[in-house]
Amino acid sequence: MNRNASRAVILAGLALALGSFVYGPTASADTALTVGKAAANADPIIPVNVGYQVGIFKKHGLDLKIVDFQGGSKMVQAMTAGAIDIGDGAGTEMAFIAKGAPMRAVCESASTFPFLGIGVPWDSPIKSVADLRGKKMGISSAGSLTDWLTKELTTKKGWGPNGLTTVAIGNGAAGIIAAFRTGVVDADIGETALFLNMADNKVGRLLVPVSDFEGSVASGTLYASNRLIATNPAAVRAFIAAWLETLDYIRTHKAETVKIESALTGNSQSVESKDYDLTLPMYTKTCKFDAEALATLKRSFVELKLLDAPPDMAKLYTEAYLQK
């Protein structure tokens, strides 16, 4: 090998070594995040399980531990205790931020309430919302979301405060079925999937989803702990990006999504398929908070007695971690 050829080989080797040093991939472990869900199977919340199972969060460098809670307040307690990094819940939990919970809403993940609906007994003569006037409506409990939504219905329909009589019967399937059969209530407001399941057994049926009369209210909302925001904002961005990619997957993979969600909820794939069709439009495509949702939430916090006075909503959420 002549001198020039030898020099060229040495330079090429040096360039390759430097290129690997400067531009080569660096080994790094996935970022571990604990995600708390306000409910195990609620439609706006369950996409995190879908994204986890098909590997989308892993693809974005996130190693998730998913924990189910029985209610938004339990999820917020865990966030306050530092036990979770991301909260997967509803817009109503934003009220806890006004009370000092160390978190911030970072994504409006779902807008409306098609996953809640009004159900009636299978053989009920009630065929439309108008037929409900003057009837007895089952709710989970006084002061609950279902109680508030019943008041919203009477207000929007102009029926006045006595347009419906509310009866607290809980939200369990057995209790609702018993109330239908004994005439304790004429209708109930609860999970849409519950009434779809009842229809399969000709016990009850879905009259209308709540989204037929209630507009945007940030029914699905993602939260990040203040600690995560301060120490690893890139992880917040990665989670939101993975969430939005998961929703794209859900929109284009109905069969796969129905199968995963059916296994998680215990609903038949037939029921889950109908629920999928009803709820798919509620998912947002950008995670941005819309003005109608914020205004409705601001009003609901006082009406649900979560807060004594309407809060400054701008202090409860941020869009700083959304995709540009």
Side-chain angles (χ1 to χ4, degrees):
M1 183 180 293
N2 62 38
R3 182 178 178 182
N4 287 339
S6 181
R7 182 170 179 269
V9 170
I10 293 170
L11 289 173
L14 180 61
L16 180 61
L18 287 173
S20 298
F21 177 78
V22 176
Y23 299 108
T26 57
S28 62
D30 289 339
T31 299
L33 293 179
T34 301
V35 180
K37 293 162 56 192
N41 299 325
D43 287 300
I45 293 173
I46 207 169
V48 70
N49 297 94
V50 177
Y52 175 81
Q53 289 200 25
V54 301
I56 293 174
F57 287 93
K58 191 77 171 176
K59 170 185 169 183
H60 285 261
L62 301 175
D63 181 17
L64 301 189
K65 176 184 178 182
I66 301 173
V67 182
D68 293 336
F69 292 95
Q70 293 182 338
S73 61
K74 298 292 186 183
M75 181 192 76
V76 174
Q77 287 174 16
M79 183 79 80
T80 302
I84 61 174
D85 304 295
I86 297 289
D88 185 1
T92 47
E93 278 95 60
M94 290 172 72
F96 291 99
I97 303 174
K99 292 181 175 182
M103 64 186 194
R104 186 69 63 90
V106 294
C107 165
E108 181 182 322
S109 53
S111 55
T112 57
F113 277 118
F115 59 94
L116 294 179
I118 296 174
V120 296
W122 177 257
D123 57 356
S124 171
I126 296 173
K127 303 298 182 184
S128 69
V129 171
D131 295 336
L132 290 171
R133 187 171 187 176
K135 299 296 192 293
K136 294 173 290 186
M137 176 72 79
I139 59 171
S140 59
S141 61
S144 66
L145 175 62
T146 54
D147 188 10
W148 179 75
L149 288 170
T150 301
K151 291 181 174 67
E152 285 282 278
L153 174 61
T154 59
T155 298
K156 291 176 184 295
K157 293 299 180 181
W159 295 344
N162 299 316
L164 287 167
T165 300
T166 56
V167 182
I169 59 173
N171 55 14
I176 296 170
I177 290 171
F180 278 178
R181 286 175 171 165
T182 58
V184 170
V185 298
D186 302 296
D188 180 79
I189 187 164
E191 293 184 11
T192 299
L194 173 62
F195 302 125
L196 294 176
N197 270 308
M198 286 185 188
D200 275 0
N201 299 306
K202 296 186 177 181
V203 172
R205 55 184 167 82
L206 178 68
L207 184 66
V208 292
V210 166
S211 51
D212 270 23
F213 63 86
E214 185 67 22
S216 182
V217 68
S219 59
T221 305
L222 301 179
Y223 299 87
S225 70
N226 289 349
R227 174 180 49 79
L228 183 64
I229 289 172
T231 61
N232 197 348
V236 181
R237 291 189 181 91
F239 187 89
I240 294 173
W243 175 274
L244 289 173
E245 185 173 334
T246 296
L247 293 185
D248 286 340
Y249 175 90
I250 287 172
R251 292 184 185 99
T252 55
H253 294 76
K254 177 179 177 178
E256 295 87 345
T257 299
V258 164
K259 185 176 181 179
I260 292 171
E261 294 188 347
S262 175
L264 289 166
T265 64
N267 295 327
S268 68
Q269 290 193 30
S270 172
V271 165
E272 208 62 54
S273 177
K274 295 171 187 174
D275 187 69
Y276 173 99
D277 292 336
L278 280 170
T279 60
L280 188 65
M282 74 179 175
Y283 295 115
T284 66
K285 295 183 177 181
T286 65
C287 273
K288 290 185 177 180
F289 292 83
D290 69 82
E292 180 186 354
L294 294 171
T296 303
L297 284 172
K298 185 175 184 176
R299 174 171 57 84
S300 73
F301 293 157
V302 177
E303 294 175 352
L304 285 166
K305 295 181 171 57
L306 297 173
L307 297 173
D308 294 330
D312 179 356
M313 298 300 290
K315 295 180 179 179
L316 310 184
Y317 75 98
T318 178
E319 295 180 345
Y321 306 99
L322 305 186
Q323 295 173 332
K324 303 298 183 183

